[in-house]
Amino acid sequence: MQDFGILILRFNVGILMLLHGLQKISSGIDGVKDSVSSFSLPEFIAYGVYIGEFVAPVLIILGILTRLSALAVFCTMCFASFVVLGGNFEGYLSLNQYGGWIVELQALYAFASLALIFLGAGKFSLYNKF
């Protein structure tokens, strides 16, 4: 039963994050580049979004290098929450107009990815060594 739960978690993180990646592939990453540039970081860092929102989710869905892929998603979401808040760490205490945490979506992906880092792929995977 635990392995089935891990499979559901993998599909949840993988499929939902992959949709963000597909949007970036079809529309481009100009917004991400602008965000990265606003922090005086090199623009090439923006291309990491393709790893965190496309490559890693595909690997998570398949159960290949799941822990490493979940780490990539986790790092992507940490960076995304930082960008959303504009570097304002006090913003992590803020709620939006509906009462939800301002970085709620990023936190859901980050903590689900963190769980996969510790759990691994489970037995329903193509390669569950890492």
Side-chain angles (χ1 to χ4, degrees), residues 35-54:
S35 295
V36 167
S37 296
S38 72
F39 289 99
S40 301
L41 295 170
E43 194 175 269
F44 76 87
I45 290 175
Y47 290 95
V49 77
Y50 290 125
I51 294 170
E53 293 187 9
F54 183 77

Side-chain angles (χ1 to χ4, degrees), residues 81-115:
S81 68
F82 181 75
V83 169
V84 164
L85 295 173
N88 175 12
F89 290 105
E90 289 178 11
Y92 283 101
L93 304 175
S94 302
L95 301 177
N96 65 24
Q97 64 187 3
Y98 305 106
W101 192 19
I102 199 82
V103 289
E104 184 175 88
L105 183 61
Q106 294 84 1
L108 280 169
Y109 285 124
F111 287 118
S113 297
L114 190 60

Side-chain angles (χ1 to χ4, degrees), residues 12 14 27 29-30 33 36 42-43 47 52 54 60 63 65 68 87-88 98 102 111 114 120 122 125 127-130:
N12 179 56
S27 300
I29 59 168
D30 290 338
K33 288 179 182 178
V36 167
E43 194 175 269
Y47 290 95
F54 183 77
I60 288 171
L65 301 174
L68 185 60
N88 175 12
Y98 305 106
I102 199 82
F111 287 118
L114 190 60
S125 64
Y127 183 77
N128 60 11
K129 300 292 183 204
F130 298 101

Side-chain angles (χ1 to χ4, degrees), residues 22-30 50:
L22 291 172
Q23 186 273 333
K24 302 282 189 316
I25 288 171
S26 66
S27 300
I29 59 168
D30 290 338
Y50 290 125

Side-chain angles (χ1 to χ4, degrees), residues 57-72:
V58 169
L59 294 174
I60 288 171
I61 291 166
L62 297 174
I64 300 171
L65 301 174
T66 302
R67 293 177 198 267
L68 185 60
S69 299
L71 179 61

